[in-house]
Amino acid sequence: MPHIHSSPYRPFLHWLKPTTAIPIVLYIILSALGVSTSSLGSDYLRQDSTKPLGYEFGAPQSIRSDEFLRNTPMQLGVLAAGETISSPLAAEPDLVTQIPNAGFVETIVFFDAAALRLGPFLPDSMLFAGYRLFPLLLLLLFCPRWLQKLGAKPKLAWFGTSLFIFSPATFWWSFLPVTIAGFAIAGSYLVTVAAERWEQSRRLSAVLYAAGGGILLARLVTGYIPWALTIGVPIVLATSVWLVWPKAERRFGLLALAAGSLTSVSVLVLMVWENLPGIKAQLATVYPGQRITTGRALDPGELFGAPVLFKLQSSGTVLVGTNASEISTGFTIALVLAVAMIAMSPNLGRDRDSAAMITLAACCLAWFSWVVVHWGTIGSKIPAANLVDPLRVAQSLGFPAILLLSLVLSRWAAPVGKALPVLIAASCALITAYGGGVTQQTRMPGLRGFEVGLAAFAIGAVVYFMVAHPHRRWPFIIPVLLAASAVAFVNPITIGLGDLRASASAQRMLEEGKKARAANELWATDLWFDDALLDATGTPILGGNQMSGPNREQWLKLDPTAQHEFVWNRGASIIKFAWTVGPDIIIESPQPDVITVTVDPCTLQGRGFNVTYVVSTQPLQGSCLVPEQSLQWFSQNQFVYAVQK
């Protein structure tokens, strides 16, 4: 038999596989076209809603205000200015927003957002779309590989990845679960590759893979912590157990984990040093920094209502005491199915795949106890867990459960007879009917009993065929198609950046933003939608986002005695201004994430803020105010005044 020489290009050949090449090619095409699922085409972000600019298919979702009024303007502002522009009242938000500014290490860790700084040189719509789509690309590239590494069959690895993407909470939470899992899974997978390279005595390659994985995993402790704990940590723990379980390969797994952990800890320490003021501000905030919670029992609708949430796509759906984002969850029913199958499976062994699967199941069950048991004061003393509100667990638990189900189904053998599949399917259908019925009674009165029954029947049917015919493909394609149809019309497909770039008002503010940045001047408005426009055009504003927490020194200019510190000492918040006449300044918090400051605009410069322009929804009178050309936004003429010193 002739000797076959290894090609030097062999390491790169896997990128030519369809499962890899297709996501990459689609990512490049969609990014080049400026395609995103942003709701930036909302009427709130239009110069004239009767003459919208840009291309949009589907309706924007007003409930996604955190996306199109906060995150999107912030990201577009970086594109406009080449740097992060934040309110002087707010501490630096880099770690929370995962958008780097001046720090070298954070630029490496948040490399995807660092690309936004190229806005002055490359098309904004292309960079924005590429940034928004990147976590989805990571998930598509690495989640199937990670699942297969832990023992999943290829078809079930793609089943789990697809169902993860098409879960209701993914679409109603602006793909935040995908962002968390994309980096966590990619980092975990790279660490497993590092262990393989060490075993092959390819030490340099192993170190590079471990370091890359460690950098990706370092993102878990920044951003949205509750879901990092419920989605990201189970992934990392399952991977760690998989690496160290077999004695013969334990040394290589430990080396990979050590190198990855050392990298993560090192960059985190350096990032903390780079962002120390912002971290101190965040930890000291009344909300959310000092908020402590405990586990409590939630109703079945909050846990198992996902299959009936297809109703949310209907614009006429009425919700009671909640909104579409808060009610949306992952498919937690997958945990019930997975645990039942584990309990009945004869194929569990002492191998590393089983160990990883049991670890993932244990994590899911631990979090499940957080939403079905009242933990009381004991729960409030459990580190990390006491930072996660049970509702956030209910919303996110379905994501690791889907990954677990993919692993369980991969080891499942078709049972003899139909009794067991019928029993499991009937149980899942009844739980779904119960959860859907509670959702109907308490939160979604427009949901009909027929629709609840239809959802329960669909769950029962797909569970039956998956359990009874695990070796076929179609039982796993159908649930993915059903899940996709339930969220297909949630988000619009947006091409370009709409009025935030193409309108005359946006073009004007892009120029005003350049002048204000050069002169170290500020604008101030009394409308959140105006703040969003100014933010998106890189115009420095006094209000806007306070993500990490307050800049105490600056707030004391407005509140010298700190008597309102309980009000303004908040993170994950919006600072809104309201204009009045007189020396009094009123600082209030109408809701936990909103801070309102009622003040005479002529007072601001006397308090040490270089506010040179004020925008108002109503005409203003003041000795310091000189009328300027009005600004049309939100289909209204906003009054603009220059502030005389």
Side-chain angles (χ1 to χ4, degrees):
M1 182 175 181
H3 178 70
I4 300 176
H5 295 280
S6 177
S7 168
Y9 303 104
R10 186 176 180 181
F12 304 98
L13 293 179
H14 69 278
W15 295 108
L16 299 178
K17 294 180 179 179
T19 54
T20 301
I22 291 175
I24 292 176
V25 170
L26 285 176
Y27 172 77
I28 294 172
I29 293 173
L30 294 176
S31 297
L33 294 175
V35 177
S36 72
T37 58
S38 173
S39 288
L40 58 83
S42 167
D43 288 348
Y44 303 122
L45 298 181
R46 295 288 192 187
Q47 177 177 307
D48 184 351
S49 61
T50 64
K51 301 176 182 178
L53 301 175
Y55 301 94
E56 188 173 53
F57 305 94
Q61 295 288 351
S62 60
I63 190 58
R64 299 177 66 212
S65 59
D66 277 351
E67 181 268 316
F68 67 86
L69 287 177
R70 175 178 287 174
N71 295 330
T72 290
M74 192 185 313
Q75 293 152 12
L76 295 185
V78 178
L79 288 168
E83 60 180 338
T84 302
I85 304 294
S86 57
S87 167
L89 292 171
E92 290 298 322
D94 301 16
L95 290 188
V96 175
T97 61
Q98 297 189 341
I99 299 177
N101 200 10
F104 174 74
V105 177
E106 67 178 13
T107 298
I108 295 175
V109 176
F110 305 135
F111 60 91
D112 53 324
L116 295 174
R117 296 181 193 166
L118 299 174
F121 312 103
L122 295 175
D124 285 3
S125 60
M126 181 182 74
L127 289 171
F128 177 75
Y131 172 69
R132 284 295 186 86
L133 291 170
F134 186 70
L136 181 59
L137 175 66
L138 279 184
L139 194 74
L140 288 172
L141 291 179
F142 289 101
C143 190
R145 287 178 168 80
W146 177 79
L147 283 169
Q148 289 179 66
K149 184 78 72 174
L150 270 62
K153 296 177 180 178
K155 67 178 181 183
L156 288 163
W158 281 100
F159 162 77
T161 302
S162 302
L163 213 54
F164 191 110
I165 294 171
F166 293 124
S167 295
T170 297
F171 279 68
W172 286 105
W173 279 82
S174 304
F175 290 84
L176 178 58
V178 167
T179 299
I180 294 171
F183 286 97
I185 290 176
S188 297
Y189 178 79
L190 291 182
V191 174
T192 66
V193 175
E196 293 177 351
R197 297 303 171 94
W198 246 303
E199 188 176 6
Q200 299 164 1
S201 297
R202 301 168 65 181
R203 294 180 177 84
L204 177 59
S205 176
V207 169
L208 293 176
Y209 271 104
I215 289 173
L216 293 175
L217 292 174
R219 300 173 70 120
L220 275 181
V221 297
T222 67
Y224 193 54
I225 296 298
W227 283 7
L229 291 170
T230 58
I231 298 174
V233 170
I235 291 169
V236 174
L237 289 178
T239 305
S240 301
V241 169
W242 186 88
L243 282 168
V244 302
W245 189 260
K247 290 183 180 180
E249 302 173 30
R250 184 168 299 164
R251 181 166 65 92
F252 309 113
L254 288 173
L255 283 170
L257 283 176
S261 300
L262 180 62
T263 303
S264 286
V265 172
S266 298
V267 298
L268 282 173
V269 169
L270 291 172
M271 282 201 301
V272 167
W273 179 73
E274 290 177 342
N275 295 274
L276 196 56
I279 292 174
K280 287 182 177 178
Q282 184 179 27
L283 293 176
T285 55
V286 174
Y287 170 89
Q290 298 177 12
R291 181 178 59 180
I292 298 297
T293 188
T294 188
R296 68 179 186 276
L298 302 182
D299 69 53
E302 293 173 298
L303 298 176
F304 302 110
V308 303
L309 297 183
F310 65 88
K311 188 74 172 181
L312 294 177
Q313 292 188 104
S314 173
S315 59
T317 300
V318 176
L319 296 173
V320 177
T322 187
N323 58 55
S325 291
E326 293 298 325
I327 198 176
S328 64
T329 67
F331 291 108
T332 314
I333 191 65
L335 179 60
V336 176
L337 175 58
V339 171
M341 295 176 73
I342 289 174
M344 300 176 184
S345 177
N347 295 331
L348 287 180
R350 298 180 179 272
D351 59 291
R352 68 193 318 181
D353 293 347
S354 296
M357 184 176 68
I358 295 301
T359 300
L360 189 56
C363 290
C364 291
L365 289 174
W367 282 121
F368 188 65
S369 72
W370 200 247
V371 293
V372 296
V373 176
H374 182 67
W375 284 75
T377 56
I378 295 176
S380 64
K381 296 178 181 179
I382 301 176
N386 60 10
L387 301 177
V388 186
D389 185 271
L391 183 59
R392 296 294 179 248
V393 177
Q395 292 165 338
S396 58
L397 183 57
F399 293 102
I402 284 295
L403 301 177
L404 172 64
L405 181 61
S406 300
L407 297 175
V408 173
L409 283 167
S410 296
R411 303 174 68 90
W412 179 257
V416 177
K418 299 181 180 180
L420 183 59
V422 169
L423 176 62
I424 295 176
S427 299
C428 291
L430 287 173
I431 292 172
T432 299
Y434 186 28
V438 172
T439 298
Q440 176 191 28
Q441 293 177 0
T442 60
R443 296 174 183 83
M444 202 183 296
L447 184 65
R448 295 175 295 175
F450 167 75
E451 292 169 321
V452 173
L454 183 63
F457 174 80
I459 290 295
V462 298
V463 167
Y464 171 80
F465 289 114
M466 286 192 299
V467 173
H469 304 285
H471 301 300
R472 297 186 180 181
R473 292 182 181 274
W474 61 267
F476 304 101
I477 296 175
I478 292 175
V480 170
L481 294 177
L482 290 175
S485 68
V487 295
F489 303 104
V490 169
N491 297 318
I493 301 298
T494 303
I495 301 177
L497 301 175
D499 287 56
L500 288 173
R501 284 295 186 268
S503 67
S505 294
Q507 290 296 314
R508 172 187 171 186
M509 292 314 304
L510 285 169
E511 293 302 317
E512 294 289 354
K514 292 179 183 178
K515 297 176 185 177
R517 294 194 303 274
N520 198 27
E521 297 173 343
L522 293 171
W523 286 58
T525 87
D526 65 348
L527 188 66
W528 191 10
F529 316 136
D530 290 344
D531 282 344
L533 169 63
L534 271 59
D535 233 354
T537 52
T539 306
I541 56 177
L542 185 57
N545 297 309
Q546 183 166 288
M547 300 299 292
S548 294
N551 183 329
R552 181 180 172 82
E553 180 182 352
Q554 296 295 319
W555 271 103
L556 290 178
K557 294 178 180 180
L558 296 174
D559 184 23
T561 63
Q563 61 176 322
H564 300 296
E565 184 172 359
F566 184 83
V567 175
W568 50 258
N569 185 17
R570 297 171 184 270
S573 298
I574 292 291
I575 306 169
K576 295 182 178 180
F577 279 88
W579 308 130
T580 188
V581 177
D584 294 336
I585 299 178
I586 302 172
I587 305 175
E588 301 172 305
S589 179
Q591 56 195 72
D593 60 350
V594 175
I595 306 163
T596 61
V597 181
T598 304
V599 63
D600 188 327
C602 294
T603 301
L604 293 174
Q605 284 200 349
R607 294 299 179 102
F609 298 104
N610 191 24
V611 176
T612 54
Y613 288 93
V614 167
V615 184
S616 174
T617 55
Q618 301 294 328
L620 298 177
Q621 299 293 329
S623 58
C624 73
L625 302 178
V626 178
E628 294 278 337
Q629 179 186 353
S630 64
L631 178 71
Q632 187 180 15
W633 198 246
F634 186 39
S635 300
Q636 299 175 1
N637 281 325
Q638 317 290 340
F639 299 90
V640 181
Y641 298 89
V643 182
Q644 292 182 323
K645 297 182 180 179

Coordinates of all heavy atoms in Angstrom, one line a residue, residues 522-525 579 601 604 611-616 620 625 639-643:
L522 N -21.1 69.5 25.2 CA -22.2 68.5 25.4 C -23.5 69.0 24.8 O -23.8 70.3 24.8 CB -22.4 68.3 26.9 CG -21.3 67.5 27.6 CD1 -21.5 67.6 29.1 CD2 -21.2 66.1 27.2
W523 N -24.4 68.1 24.4 CA -25.8 68.4 24.1 C -26.6 67.8 25.3 O -26.2 66.9 25.9 CB -26.2 67.8 22.8 CG -25.6 68.5 21.6 CD1 -24.3 68.8 21.3 CD2 -26.4 69.1 20.5 NE1 -24.2 69.4 20.1 CE2 -25.5 69.7 19.6 CE3 -27.8 69.2 20.2 CZ2 -25.9 70.3 18.4 CZ3 -28.2 69.8 19.1 CH2 -27.3 70.3 18.2
A524 N -27.8 68.3 25.4 CA -28.7 67.7 26.4 C -30.2 67.8 25.8 O -30.5 68.8 25.2 CB -28.7 68.5 27.7
T525 N -30.9 66.7 26.0 CA -32.3 66.7 25.4 C -33.3 66.2 26.5 O -32.9 65.7 27.6 CB -32.4 65.7 24.2 OG1 -32.7 64.4 24.7 CG2 -31.1 65.7 23.4
W579 N -37.1 69.8 31.4 CA -36.7 71.2 31.5 C -37.7 71.9 32.4 O -38.9 71.7 32.2 CB -36.5 71.8 30.2 CG -35.6 71.1 29.2 CD1 -35.8 70.8 28.0 CD2 -34.3 70.7 29.5 NE1 -34.8 70.1 27.4 CE2 -33.8 70.0 28.4 CE3 -33.5 70.7 30.7 CZ2 -32.5 69.5 28.3 CZ3 -32.2 70.1 30.6 CH2 -31.7 69.5 29.4
P601 N -32.3 74.4 32.1 CA -31.1 74.2 31.3 C -30.0 75.3 31.5 O -28.8 75.0 31.3 CB -31.6 74.2 29.9 CG -33.0 74.8 30.0 CD -33.5 74.5 31.3
L604 N -27.2 74.4 34.1 CA -26.2 73.3 33.9 C -24.8 73.8 33.8 O -23.9 73.2 34.3 CB -26.6 72.5 32.6 CG -27.9 71.7 32.8 CD1 -28.3 71.0 31.5 CD2 -27.8 70.6 33.9
V611 N -22.5 72.3 28.6 CA -23.7 72.0 27.7 C -23.8 73.2 26.9 O -24.1 74.4 27.3 CB -25.0 71.8 28.5 CG1 -26.2 71.7 27.6 CG2 -24.8 70.5 29.4
T612 N -23.6 73.1 25.6 CA -23.7 74.2 24.6 C -25.0 74.2 23.8 O -25.3 75.2 23.2 CB -22.5 74.2 23.7 OG1 -22.4 72.9 23.1 CG2 -21.2 74.4 24.5
Y613 N -25.7 73.1 23.7 CA -26.9 73.0 23.0 C -27.9 72.2 23.8 O -27.6 71.2 24.4 CB -26.7 72.4 21.6 CG -26.0 73.2 20.6 CD1 -24.6 73.1 20.5 CD2 -26.7 74.2 19.9 CE1 -23.9 73.9 19.6 CE2 -26.0 75.0 19.0 CZ -24.6 74.9 18.9 OH -24.0 75.7 18.0
V614 N -29.2 72.7 23.8 CA -30.3 72.0 24.5 C -31.4 71.7 23.4 O -31.7 72.6 22.6 CB -30.8 72.9 25.6 CG1 -32.2 72.4 26.1 CG2 -29.8 73.0 26.7
V615 N -31.9 70.5 23.5 CA -33.0 70.1 22.6 C -34.3 69.9 23.5 O -34.2 69.3 24.5 CB -32.7 68.9 21.8 CG1 -33.8 68.5 20.8 CG2 -31.4 69.0 21.0
S616 N -35.4 70.5 23.0 CA -36.6 70.4 23.8 C -37.8 70.0 22.9 O -37.9 70.5 21.8 CB -36.9 71.7 24.6 OG -38.1 71.7 25.3
L620 N -38.8 76.8 25.0 CA -38.3 77.2 26.3 C -38.0 78.7 26.3 O -37.8 79.3 25.3 CB -36.9 76.4 26.5 CG -37.0 74.9 26.5 CD1 -35.6 74.3 26.7 CD2 -37.9 74.4 27.6
L625 N -30.6 81.1 26.6 CA -31.0 80.3 25.4 C -31.2 81.1 24.2 O -31.9 82.1 24.2 CB -32.3 79.5 25.7 CG -32.2 78.6 27.0 CD1 -33.6 77.9 27.2 CD2 -31.1 77.5 26.8
F639 N -37.2 71.6 19.4 CA -36.7 73.0 19.5 C -35.2 72.9 19.9 O -34.9 72.2 20.9 CB -37.5 73.8 20.5 CG -38.9 74.0 20.0 CD1 -39.9 73.1 20.4 CD2 -39.3 75.1 19.2 CE1 -41.2 73.2 20.0 CE2 -40.6 75.2 18.8 CZ -41.6 74.3 19.2
V640 N -34.3 73.6 19.2 CA -32.9 73.5 19.6 C -32.5 74.9 20.0 O -32.8 75.9 19.3 CB -32.0 73.1 18.4 CG1 -30.6 73.0 18.7 CG2 -32.5 71.7 17.9
Y641 N -31.7 75.0 21.1 CA -31.2 76.2 21.6 C -29.7 76.2 21.9 O -29.3 75.2 22.5 CB -32.0 76.6 23.0 CG -33.5 76.8 22.8 CD1 -34.3 75.7 23.0 CD2 -34.0 78.0 22.5 CE1 -35.7 75.8 22.8 CE2 -35.4 78.2 22.4 CZ -36.2 77.1 22.6 OH -37.6 77.2 22.4
A642 N -29.0 77.2 21.5 CA -27.6 77.4 21.9 C -27.6 77.9 23.3 O -28.4 78.8 23.6 CB -26.9 78.3 20.9
V643 N -26.7 77.5 24.1 CA -26.6 77.9 25.5 C -25.4 78.9 25.6 O -24.3 78.5 25.4 CB -26.4 76.8 26.5 CG1 -26.3 77.3 27.9 CG2 -27.5 75.7 26.3

